[in-house]
Amino acid sequence: MKGLFISFEGTEGCGKSTQVKLLANQLTALGYRVRTLREPGGTPIGEEIRHTLKHSQHNHAMTAEAELLLMNASRAQLVREIIRPALAAGEVVVCDRFYDSTTAYQGYGRELDLEKVKAVIDFAVGETKPKLTLFLHVPPEVSAARLKSRQENLPFVRDRIEEADRKFFERVAHGFGVIAAAEPQRVKFINGAQPLEMVCAKIWELVHPLLPRLGRW
Ligand code: Z5A
């Protein structure tokens, strides 16, 4: 693979989407070819799965097992349709969430068997794994305040996953901590509660050393 694969992770409102855009702009300005993606979604099939997972009127009875498999059906499609060809073409792929979210949300949050979760992820991604994962950490009160202020400016759209209780999100946050501690080479912890520019600068510090190996186009 000639390209570079970077994923962003963290709890809701940690600032991933904002930083994905900022990083993509920086890289593009330097002449790199950049592909920004989100999960679940990122392909026409994946976006339909995303709707089923989050917003469909018929998703109230979804089981944790179905949720796990749908997340990874979307991922299997994204990996083969977009990520592998983009990496083979030498692009920088920047993904808003990837398989660590499955471990955190379906493994720790929904309390599915972690070995089974890992087996499903492995089947979906094969050898396609991020070189660098930027884990933006924010305390729950910062996350809640950001989501509230964003919601005030947007029309309400029901989201099944956000309907889970506080304990679920505490388990998810704990899960991300365990993941970051287990793979410190790949997963870099960043304080997402800092001002935007500081988060952005820290991210650049981590991404920049990986770039020269790519060359320029
Ligand atoms: N999910 C799963 O369960 N299993 C999986 O395998 C995968 C996903 C892949 C996807 O939801 C849901 O799917 C998610 C996990 C689950 N569920 N939940 N709950 P999504 O894609 O709709 O949303 P999200 O990924 O949870 O992210 P988000 O809520 O959109 O937040 P964000 O992208 O991290 O944050 P943001 O949009 O960049 O920022 C939020 C606000 O804060 C915004 O107004 C910004 O302007 C502001 N912001 C950002 N950074 C800062 C700083 N540094 N200071 C001040 N304000 C800031």
Side-chain angles (χ1 to χ4, degrees):
M1 293 286 173
K2 293 191 291 171
L4 173 64
F5 184 11
I6 300 169
S7 62
F8 279 75
E9 296 283 3
T11 52
E12 307 67 41
C14 67
K16 292 176 286 82
S17 315
T18 306
Q19 294 297 335
V20 164
K21 283 192 205 101
L22 291 172
L23 177 61
N25 290 345
Q26 270 177 301
L27 291 168
T28 306
L30 286 172
Y32 291 94
R33 279 188 291 145
V34 184
R35 189 75 66 120
T36 59
L37 301 167
R38 69 171 180 182
E39 278 211 329
T43 63
I45 289 170
E47 291 297 321
E48 288 198 5
I49 295 173
R50 179 184 176 92
H51 175 75
T52 302
L53 280 160
K54 284 165 64 83
H55 310 301
S56 163
Q57 288 176 19
H58 310 290
N59 70 11
H60 290 273
M62 187 179 292
T63 64
E65 290 79 2
E67 183 177 274
L68 169 70
L69 293 169
L70 286 172
M71 290 289 177
N72 283 280
S74 170
R75 179 167 300 133
Q77 188 67 30
L78 185 67
V79 162
R80 288 156 185 81
E81 186 177 329
I82 309 272
I83 297 179
R84 285 181 188 165
L87 291 174
E91 296 182 24
V92 182
V93 173
V94 184
C95 201
D96 190 340
R97 298 195 180 281
F98 200 57
Y99 60 68
D100 296 313
S101 283
T102 299
T103 308
Y105 283 83
Q106 283 66 56
Y108 286 88
R110 301 287 189 217
E111 299 181 298
L112 291 176
D113 182 282
L114 288 172
E115 283 304 312
K116 289 190 178 135
V117 169
K118 183 176 180 307
V120 173
I121 291 171
D122 286 346
F123 184 57
V125 305
E127 294 303 309
T128 306
K129 299 186 174 171
K131 172 84 183 157
L132 174 68
T133 296
L134 300 158
F135 168 46
L136 304 191
H137 178 264
V138 292
E141 57 277 13
V142 172
S143 172
R146 286 186 189 170
L147 294 181
K148 187 162 175 279
S149 95
R150 191 176 60 182
Q151 269 154 18
E152 280 163 4
N153 300 314
L154 293 171
F156 174 76
V157 183
R158 174 185 161 266
D159 184 332
R160 184 188 58 84
I161 300 171
E162 285 174 11
E163 290 168 353
D165 62 16
R166 191 172 52 83
K167 291 265 176 226
F168 169 82
F169 290 103
E170 285 172 5
R171 290 195 297 273
V172 169
H174 167 72
F176 275 125
V178 175
I179 293 163
E183 277 189 77
Q185 284 295 341
R186 173 179 68 87
V187 185
K188 301 297 178 189
F189 181 98
I190 294 169
N191 176 4
Q194 302 175 98
L196 269 186
E197 309 71 45
M198 287 175 74
V199 179
C200 188
K202 181 69 199 167
I203 289 170
W204 190 245
E205 218 175 87
L206 293 162
V207 170
H208 189 252
L210 301 178
L211 293 172
R213 292 189 291 127
L214 288 175
R216 296 281 192 85
W217 299 277

